């Protein structure tokens, strides 16, 4: 059941990502790379839904692929502030990593993910308010 849910959600995220490319959040080669990354999720999601080999190594590879794909799509956005919405996808992957992988894989996923936001920290780069 878990693999079907993960596969269907992967396809949904891929469709949403593909449809969002023409929205203007990305330009030039960033839009092309984002479309390619989003389109890769469709066969991955279909394979996960159909296979019975969604076991340890495949789950680890899926978590790594998800982390890299989410990061690439977030970095290629023209407006860094709108990229923050993509961090919610890390929570989805974290749920899978927490229930289906070993502690070391889960820790590696946490280390790879974005740092926690502290209320005392200042915004970075283009997110700073202009005075």
């Amino acid at each position: 059941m878990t693999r079907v849910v993960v596969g269907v959600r992967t396809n949904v995220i891929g469709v949403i990502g593909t449809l969002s490319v023409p929205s203007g959040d990305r330009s030039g080669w960033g839009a092309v790379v984002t479309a390619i990354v989003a389109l890769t999720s469709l066969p991955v999601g279909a394979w996960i839904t159909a296979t019975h080999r969604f076991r340890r190594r495949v789950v680890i590879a899926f978590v790594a692929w998800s982390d890299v794909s989410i990061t690439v799509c977030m970095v290629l956005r023209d407006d860094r502030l709108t990229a923050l919405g993509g961090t919610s996808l890390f929570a989805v992957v974290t749920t899978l990593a927490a229930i289906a992988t070993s502690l070391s894989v889960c820790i590696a996923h946490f280390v790879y993910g974005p740092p926690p936001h502290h209320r005392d920290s200042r915004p970075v780069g283009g997110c700073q308010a202009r005075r």
Side-chain angles (χ1 to χ4, degrees), residues 50-95:
T51 191
H52 292 287
R53 293 189 171 110
F54 197 56
R55 301 279 191 273
R56 186 176 189 280
R57 283 188 276 172
V58 176
V59 174
I60 293 169
F62 178 78
V63 169
W65 170 81
S66 298
D67 284 345
V68 172
S69 298
I70 292 167
T71 303
V72 166
C73 290
M74 285 174 41
V75 167
L76 293 176
R77 289 180 93 83
D78 290 339
D79 182 9
R80 298 292 181 240
L81 193 56
T82 61
L84 289 176
T87 59
S88 64
L89 295 176
F90 281 115
V92 175
V93 178
T94 299
T95 303

Side-chain angles (χ1 to χ4, degrees), residues 13 16-38 69-80 82-86 89:
I13 290 170
I16 291 170
T18 304
L19 294 176
S20 72
V21 170
S23 69
D25 288 344
R26 298 160 186 92
S27 59
W29 63 272
V32 174
V33 172
T34 300
I36 291 169
V37 169
S69 298
I70 292 167
T71 303
V72 166
C73 290
M74 285 174 41
V75 167
L76 293 176
R77 289 180 93 83
D78 290 339
D79 182 9
R80 298 292 181 240
T82 61
L84 289 176
L89 295 176

Side-chain angles (χ1 to χ4, degrees), residues 2 38 51 94 106 121:
T2 301
T51 191
T94 299
C106 200
S121 64

